[in-house]
Amino acid sequence: MKQYNISKHNSFYCVGLSYQKAEAHIRGKFSLSDTAQASILETVKVEKIGDGALIISTCNRTEIYGFAPHPCEFIKLLCDYSNGTAEEFRDVAYIFKNKDAIDHLFKVGTGLDSQILGDFEIISQLKKGFKASQKVGLINGFMERLVNAVITASKRIKNETEISSGATSVAFASVQYILKNVENISEKNILLFGTGKIGRNTCENLVKHTKNNHITLINRTKDKAERIAGKFNLTVKDYAALSEEIQKTDVLIVATGAERPTVSKDDILTNKELLILDLSIPENVSRNVTKLDNVTLVHLDALSQVTDETLERRKAHIPKAEAIIDEVKTEFTAWLETRKFAPTIKALKQKLTAIKNAELDFQRKKISDFDESQAEIITNRIIQKITTQFANHLKDENTTSEESVALIQKVFQLENNSL
């Protein structure tokens, strides 16, 4: 990337892991809280590890994008601020560099690399990571242009294809699983623990598809659960009543978004058959519940593998989505190529400005009623038109840019050390 005059560091990297090689337990270890993400960004800035960095941490992936002398810089930060080790990372990780890192971000941001094809929730996570990095000054011109290009591609794919059509999400998949595996679901008791975004979406799908009037909500902050319950006329219980409510339920859905398990074997004081769906990363249901013969535990990874006609229809739109990505990426690459010439154009503008200033100084002494402001406006416009003409010439695909740059440097006597 150094040739593009974007970063003092040579390469743009993506280091990370995702559902494709890392199972939920490992992804949970490398999941980064908002506090951990902020600490990583602060460390990058203070220790001057790189001059650009962006973090994405979702239930499906944890990734760091940025400029650095070596990817190990970012890998160390990821391990230092998560519960994962370098050895665990090495077993499931991927490292992309320069063009490959750019290509990967396009696939991630447009939903083509999502665990459920066409799930565009990732774009909000990308925007969130961008804002956090921008706030601490870790978004350079390249990264801003790249993220905006990915957002543009994402919008176009959503509007111009049907890759996100139909109801397919973790929330929808969880309800589909329940419908397929629990008989007479409309007569069963369902307990939803956690009413964040995934919890709310799951609740809406439960009400819509199960026709069940026996749904109870529990959340650490009770008023959040009450707001959702009021919308659907559901029951809300205090957090302190969790174990008691688990004893009554047939299906427990956990979506608390906590850093550690919120439900364990000790909370299950019943011998009746109990299906537990854990929709969280890190896992919010302790694996020790599987020691109970009456409990069936299903994690979101298994739910995300639920395929139906909707997903099959979405796959048919992948080629069109990829064509849109290629189109937007081509525009981005064309902009990137122009960055090679930025120092030459800048030096040319400085040279022309120096010539202008010398000439204006001469005319100022020679002409008694010299109009300074008008001369400034005219000469600045001429300089802008000349530099724009040269810039367009260098962008022309039929131009041999290296020879043109050398000629401009020779004609205008531009020094290489000023480029």
Side-chain angles (χ1 to χ4, degrees):
M1 285 292 168
K2 202 169 186 179
Q3 63 176 318
Y4 296 113
N5 307 292
I6 285 169
S7 169
K8 63 184 178 182
H9 299 292
N10 290 325
S11 301
F12 176 65
Y13 291 104
C14 166
V15 303
L17 63 154
S18 75
Y19 69 94
Q20 294 197 7
K21 285 185 68 176
E23 59 183 38
H25 178 63
I26 296 297
R27 297 203 308 276
K29 286 188 174 186
F30 287 96
S31 179
L32 297 170
S33 65
D34 289 347
T35 301
Q37 292 181 48
S39 297
I40 289 175
L41 294 177
E42 186 64 24
T43 303
V44 170
K45 185 176 182 180
V46 172
E47 297 185 8
K48 299 180 179 178
I49 291 171
D51 51 4
L54 184 149
I55 301 170
I56 298 176
S57 185
T58 72
C59 59
N60 293 331
R61 70 183 67 250
T62 299
E63 297 176 335
I64 301 178
Y65 295 83
F67 289 92
H70 195 277
C72 287
E73 305 277 1
F74 290 141
I75 295 170
K76 184 176 185 303
L77 286 172
L78 179 55
C79 295
D80 286 348
Y81 288 95
S82 70
N83 295 317
T85 66
E87 291 74 20
E88 290 170 322
F89 180 82
R90 185 177 60 243
D91 290 340
V92 298
Y94 43 78
I95 299 171
F96 297 113
K97 181 179 179 180
N98 294 337
K99 182 181 179 298
D100 291 336
I102 293 170
D103 291 346
H104 181 69
L105 184 57
F106 269 97
K107 283 188 68 177
V108 169
T110 55
L112 294 191
D113 198 58
S114 294
Q115 194 166 22
I116 294 180
L117 178 65
D119 186 351
F120 284 95
E121 178 61 29
I122 185 65
I123 202 67
S124 63
Q125 297 292 335
L126 177 59
K127 291 177 181 178
K128 178 184 174 184
F130 178 84
K131 288 179 181 178
S133 294
Q134 191 176 48
K135 190 175 180 180
V136 295
L138 285 177
I139 294 293
N140 59 20
F142 166 86
M143 294 183 70
E144 181 171 9
R145 190 91 178 206
L146 175 59
V147 171
N148 285 333
V150 172
I151 292 171
T152 296
S154 175
K155 286 180 180 176
R156 285 192 55 189
I157 289 171
K158 196 168 185 178
N159 293 332
E160 298 174 29
T161 77
E162 296 179 22
I163 203 166
S164 61
S165 63
T168 302
S169 64
V170 170
F172 180 76
S174 64
V175 175
Q176 289 296 101
Y177 182 92
I178 292 170
L179 291 171
K180 291 177 182 177
N181 292 277
V182 181
E183 294 182 2
N184 304 317
I185 186 59
S186 61
E187 301 171 11
K188 303 292 185 180
N189 292 323
I190 301 175
L191 175 60
L192 174 61
F193 179 31
T195 54
K197 187 166 186 177
I198 292 178
R200 290 196 306 272
N201 291 340
T202 303
C203 185
E204 291 182 10
N205 278 285
L206 284 170
V207 172
K208 181 178 180 180
H209 298 288
T210 66
K211 312 300 181 186
N212 190 305
N213 296 320
H214 314 287
I215 301 174
T216 300
L217 308 183
I218 291 180
N219 196 65
R220 287 181 183 273
T221 308
K222 190 176 181 181
D223 62 332
K224 289 185 179 179
E226 288 175 336
R227 284 197 294 272
I228 298 171
K231 182 178 178 181
F232 300 109
N233 194 28
L234 305 177
T235 302
V236 175
K237 294 291 183 177
D238 291 326
Y239 172 65
L242 179 62
S243 292
E244 181 183 342
E245 291 302 315
I246 289 176
Q247 291 184 62
K248 303 175 186 176
T249 198
D250 300 291
V251 178
L252 169 63
I253 302 171
V254 181
T256 48
E259 293 297 310
R260 55 186 59 84
T262 53
V263 173
S264 70
K265 184 165 68 75
D266 296 335
D267 296 304
I268 302 172
L269 308 174
T270 177
N271 293 320
K272 67 186 296 188
E273 290 295 316
L274 176 63
L275 171 63
I276 303 178
L277 305 184
D278 185 357
L279 310 186
S280 307
I281 291 286
E283 296 170 339
N284 282 186
V285 179
S286 173
R287 294 191 175 191
N288 65 18
V289 302
T290 58
K291 295 179 180 179
L292 301 172
D293 294 334
N294 60 312
V295 172
T296 299
L297 173 63
V298 180
H299 195 265
L300 65 81
D301 276 5
L303 297 172
S304 298
Q305 293 167 8
V306 174
T307 58
D308 58 13
E309 294 178 2
T310 300
L311 279 178
E312 291 305 312
R313 286 198 300 271
R314 288 184 175 192
K315 289 178 182 178
H317 298 281
I318 291 177
K320 189 172 182 180
E322 289 177 334
I324 291 172
I325 290 173
D326 287 342
E327 193 176 319
V328 176
K329 205 188 315 179
T330 297
E331 294 175 3
F332 174 78
T333 303
W335 168 82
L336 188 58
E337 286 298 316
T338 67
R339 296 299 305 168
K340 290 181 180 179
F341 320 127
T344 298
I345 297 301
K346 182 180 178 182
L348 174 60
K349 192 169 186 177
Q350 290 172 345
K351 184 74 172 185
L352 292 174
T353 300
I355 294 172
K356 176 204 80 169
N357 290 337
E359 182 61 25
L360 290 183
D361 187 51
F362 173 77
Q363 296 296 338
R364 191 182 297 113
K365 295 173 183 176
K366 188 176 180 181
I367 302 173
S368 58
D369 57 346
F370 182 67
D371 191 330
E372 182 103 23
S373 60
Q374 193 172 32
E376 279 285 342
I377 293 172
I378 294 171
T379 51
N380 285 339
R381 283 180 60 82
I382 292 172
I383 289 173
Q384 185 61 45
K385 287 180 182 296
I386 292 172
T387 53
T388 299
Q389 193 72 25
F390 275 111
N392 290 336
H393 171 72
L394 291 172
K395 291 177 189 177
D396 191 331
E397 60 182 17
N398 296 318
T399 298
T400 306
S401 56
E402 288 76 10
E403 292 179 4
S404 295
V405 167
L407 181 61
I408 293 170
Q409 292 172 354
K410 183 178 180 180
V411 170
F412 290 94
Q413 299 177 339
L414 305 179
E415 297 181 10
N416 288 331
N417 59 11
S418 67
L419 302 185

